Amino acid sequence: MRHTVPNLASSGEPDAAEWVARLQHRPNDLGLRRDFDSWLKADPANKDAYASASDAWARLGALSDEPEILAARARLKADLAADQKRRARPQMRWAAAVAALVTAGGFGTALWLATAPSDHAPAVAPAQTAQVVYRTGVGEQKIITLADGSIATLSTDSVLRVTEMGARRALTLDRGEAFFQVAKNPHRPFVVTADGRTVTALGTAFNVRIDPGKWSVSLLEGKIRVADPAAHNSVDLLPGSRLEQQAGSTWAVAAADVAALTSWRDGSVTFDNQPLADIVGELNRYSVRKIRIDSPRVAATPMSGRFKTGDVAGFVDALSAYGAAKVKTGQAGEIVLVAP
């Protein structure tokens, strides 16, 4: 489903709450990111205002996926667009909107309330006092704008916890895969923990993935340090490289087509002369209806191409049309590939 955002530039400069809405729905708009960076630098108070607004949005989003909540969030964004003439302080206006929404929706007492800092108080990024958990179902993808302006994109069947957003930015990937675009801040390390290992970055773009018996990190830009505190082992990755470890084996770092590895963000997966078994295994991650190969020869057949995630029917139809496999229906609707 395509989501649209109201045009928030009708009058005046966008405020913190409006920047949250824009970045949430247009995370890959480089022009918007440049405008946002300029806005952050224009006034030291903007950074605190954005952190407060984004944290409120994240907490509101974590409440529920019920239709009432989703509709309320949509109304709130529309209200922000229509409220340009009211120039209240961004933190207070956003807090009031959140408090009103929580109260009107009947969701209990206030969960979080941002207060405007004193005019004489130093600008300090607010620390997160409770974890925020984001989840995706099978075949689902979710884009999250964090309180510091960084963006995390969750792939299928994934769980990401934001554990700290103060002097240290800390997240934990419990399951699945996530792509991170980190906002630069040399004074606030950005650390992602996955399968007991840590990935530390300042300003960069990288992908972290956990599979049964395997984990990997791929770097698109910048520089990251991957460490295993228990083994006292660490390595620095450069752009275009991938670190992978199978259970019980040593780390393996090699050059990789990182753009292909992260093509899932565009709703596709890319393969180059890889066994059909690998392709099917990857596509199964994005579909409730699974494919099973019941032929060693079919499983070993090398294939290349770009395949749409979730389009299991289209994929198997193509295999059948090209004579690569014969398609049968197994138990509980499972798709079975056999030798043609």
Side-chain angles (χ1 to χ4, degrees):
M1 180 181 295
R2 181 178 296 275
H3 299 276
T4 58
V5 180
N7 181 3
L8 302 180
S10 57
S11 63
E13 288 294 323
D15 67 6
E18 291 157 357
W19 278 118
V20 172
R22 287 184 174 189
L23 293 171
Q24 180 73 21
H25 290 272
R26 292 160 54 193
N28 298 319
D29 189 327
L30 297 181
L32 180 64
R33 294 292 302 184
R34 286 193 293 268
D35 292 342
F36 173 64
D37 290 339
S38 298
W39 177 80
L40 281 180
K41 296 174 183 177
D43 186 340
N46 286 347
K47 194 171 184 179
D48 293 335
Y50 179 83
S52 297
S54 184
D55 195 28
W57 179 271
R59 291 173 184 276
L60 180 59
L63 285 174
S64 174
D65 286 331
E66 294 181 0
E68 293 82 357
I69 297 275
L70 298 176
R73 284 178 8 204
R75 290 195 302 271
L76 179 56
K77 285 190 295 180
D79 290 343
L80 290 171
D83 199 28
Q84 286 284 345
K85 294 183 180 180
R86 294 180 57 195
R87 306 314 301 172
R89 300 184 73 164
Q91 300 99 318
M92 291 300 291
R93 193 173 75 206
W94 182 271
V98 172
L101 181 57
V102 172
T103 302
F107 300 107
T109 58
L111 301 179
W112 177 85
L113 182 63
T115 56
S118 166
D119 291 338
H120 303 290
V124 179
Q128 184 172 303
T129 57
Q131 292 189 13
V132 179
V133 181
Y134 298 96
R135 304 174 186 272
T136 54
V138 174
E140 185 184 4
Q141 185 180 126
K142 182 175 292 185
I143 299 173
I144 305 152
T145 301
L146 302 173
D148 67 326
S150 298
I151 296 172
T153 304
L154 283 188
S155 186
T156 177
D157 193 19
S158 301
V159 178
L160 177 70
R161 288 183 289 124
V162 182
T163 58
E164 185 179 345
M165 270 291 159
R168 179 176 180 266
R169 301 172 287 177
L171 305 92
T172 298
L173 182 66
D174 290 322
R175 184 175 72 238
E177 184 173 16
F179 182 82
F180 300 92
Q181 295 165 282
V182 181
K184 293 182 179 179
N185 190 331
H187 305 295
R188 299 176 66 197
F190 189 98
V191 182
V192 177
T193 300
D195 200 21
R197 287 81 172 178
T198 61
V199 181
T200 304
L202 294 178
T204 184
F206 62 96
N207 194 82
V208 181
R209 176 168 166 171
I210 301 173
D211 290 295
K214 183 175 71 174
W215 66 280
S216 63
V217 181
S218 305
L219 180 61
L220 270 76
E221 61 182 55
K223 184 179 179 181
I224 58 176
R225 172 163 292 180
V226 184
D228 184 347
H232 304 288
N233 189 21
S234 67
V235 64
D236 291 346
L237 293 188
L238 296 178
S241 60
R242 181 172 186 252
L243 183 155
E244 179 179 297
Q245 184 182 28
Q246 300 277 354
S249 66
T250 59
W251 291 5
V253 179
D257 185 349
V258 181
L261 291 172
T262 58
S263 63
W264 58 265
R265 294 179 296 149
D266 300 322
S268 64
V269 288
T270 305
F271 295 91
D272 182 16
N273 199 36
Q274 291 176 253
L276 185 58
D278 291 353
I279 299 174
V280 166
E282 185 68 12
L283 291 175
N284 277 341
R285 297 178 60 226
Y286 299 89
S287 176
V288 175
R289 191 181 184 192
K290 305 301 182 183
I291 304 172
R292 177 170 59 86
I293 303 177
D294 197 18
S295 165
R297 180 166 66 86
V298 172
T301 301
M303 295 190 68
S304 299
R306 189 179 183 94
F307 306 100
K308 184 177 180 182
T309 58
D311 186 13
V312 172
F315 175 71
V316 296
D317 286 347
L319 290 179
S320 179
Y322 280 101
K326 186 177 179 180
V327 181
K328 293 184 176 181
T329 300
Q331 296 179 351
E334 179 186 50
I335 298 173
V336 182
L337 302 180
V338 299

